[in-house]
Amino acid sequence: GIIAETKKALNTLTEAQQQAAKELADWQVRFDEAKTADDLNGLMPETAKASDAARDNVKRLLVSVGKTKGFAFDAKAKAFTQAAA
């Protein structure tokens, strides 16, 4: 019935959320391994390959990790620079 369908939909959503969280964790590892602004810049085009469910968060994570590493993000150029502004 309706309750079973609702539960199934909720479980599917949960699986999708779990997949997006795993994908984000995988990106976190890749971003953490980047040593330079150029390393992060090189990963930017690859973020477009992230799933629809994770893509926006992947891009936010990239900017956050870059700033944490002390790189400045030039929004106009859409690139990190070596020294924080």
Side-chain angles (χ1 to χ4, degrees), residues 24 47 50-63:
L24 197 58
T47 62
S51 70
D52 290 345
R55 188 173 305 119
D56 288 344
N57 285 329
V58 167
K59 290 178 180 181
R60 282 195 273 283
L61 179 63
L62 174 64
V63 172

Side-chain angles (χ1 to χ4, degrees), residues 36-38 40-41 44 62-75 77-85:
T36 67
D38 286 340
L40 288 175
N41 290 335
M44 273 189 211
L62 174 64
V63 172
S64 176
V65 169
K67 288 181 178 180
T68 299
K69 290 178 178 272
F71 307 133
F73 185 72
D74 182 339
K78 294 186 179 180
F80 288 99
T81 56
Q82 206 54 40

